[in-house]
Amino acid sequence: RSSDPLRAKDFHMAINLKKGQGINLTKAAPKLRIVRVGIGWDITRVIGPCDLDVSAFVLKTVGGNPVCLSDEHFVFFNNLQSPEGFVTHTGDNRTGAGEGDDETLKVDLGVAPLDAVEVSFIVTMHEAAARRQHFGMVQNAYLKVYNDETGEVLADYDLDEEFAGQTAVQIGSLFRADGEWQFQAVGAGYQRELFDFVRGY
């Protein structure tokens, strides 16, 4: 029954994050095992095809700087899973059409590499320079953080910032601090292509 008080207690209101804000996922959902990150957007004011790509970098700290664990720990449309199954990309959506999340990544906290301290989520525009496109042409972009096993939305982040002229956005970061997993809404725009992030990490 929908009025079952035990069932009602199982779900909490999602935290609406603003840029720079975060949530302690370990405390919000103590039994959390698989984090699902869903990202959606609508394309407007664009002539021709517009393809947004969501990527994840599994990072460790070397000399105080974030560094990708290996080439295989860069998860994107041509490498859909990290070696140990820590991060999985569920597939490329090239149009942003349809309802619901356009692209989804799953993070299995139970198999996190010991030296992994962060998963950085980047959204880039495919061939942005050649197509003369930028994030000012994208509307209603959002990120949602789910408990994949229950379907509960733990946090969401609406990108209401104006990213005109920017071709990439670091949308969020899942990181480990003092043994607890936390998520932060980053919302940092860049005039970069995906390859620039690969070189940077």
Side-chain angles (χ1 to χ4, degrees):
R1 296 196 310 275
S2 60
S3 60
D4 184 340
L6 293 176
R7 182 67 65 182
K9 288 180 185 176
D10 291 342
F11 285 80
H12 309 282
M13 292 295 291
I15 302 297
N16 299 113
L17 299 175
K18 298 296 183 184
K19 181 176 180 176
Q21 292 182 331
I23 178 176
N24 187 318
L25 298 176
T26 300
K27 289 181 178 175
K31 296 181 181 179
L32 182 63
R33 162 81 188 228
I34 299 176
V35 178
R36 184 167 89 246
V37 175
I39 297 170
W41 62 84
D42 294 323
I43 304 297
T44 60
R45 308 194 304 277
V46 177
I47 299 174
C50 184
D51 180 13
L52 270 63
D53 296 314
V54 181
S55 307
F57 292 86
V58 181
L59 306 173
K60 61 182 178 181
T61 301
V62 178
N65 298 313
V67 177
C68 200
L69 266 67
S70 73
D71 290 347
E72 289 73 33
H73 286 88
F74 164 44
V75 178
F76 69 121
F77 55 84
N78 275 338
N79 177 41
L80 295 177
Q81 190 173 66
S82 62
E84 66 292 297
F86 177 44
V87 178
T88 302
H89 192 309
T90 62
D92 189 19
N93 179 329
R94 298 188 176 185
T95 64
E99 295 296 315
D101 302 338
D102 291 309
E103 291 198 6
T104 300
L105 295 104
K106 295 183 180 183
V107 183
D108 186 346
L109 304 179
V111 295
L114 292 177
D115 52 350
V117 296
E118 181 182 358
V119 182
S120 179
F121 298 97
I122 307 289
V123 183
T124 52
M125 302 189 82
H126 186 60
E127 297 181 342
R131 296 175 177 178
R132 297 188 177 183
Q133 295 172 351
H134 56 81
F135 272 92
M137 300 172 175
V138 176
Q139 289 187 336
N140 305 322
Y142 69 83
L143 176 149
K144 292 183 179 180
V145 180
Y146 303 84
N147 180 337
D148 188 56
E149 293 174 296
T150 66
E152 179 185 3
V153 179
L154 301 173
D156 56 39
Y157 170 38
D158 292 322
L159 275 79
D160 48 12
E161 294 89 2
E162 180 58 54
F163 292 111
Q166 309 297 313
T167 57
V169 177
Q170 183 185 7
I171 193 167
S173 175
L174 178 70
F175 63 96
R176 181 159 47 184
D178 298 324
E180 296 180 332
W181 286 99
Q182 303 184 42
F183 186 89
Q184 183 177 26
V186 178
Y190 302 92
Q191 290 181 323
R192 293 182 184 176
E193 305 235 354
L194 185 56
F195 181 66
D196 296 317
F197 287 98
V198 175
R199 285 189 304 184
Y201 284 133

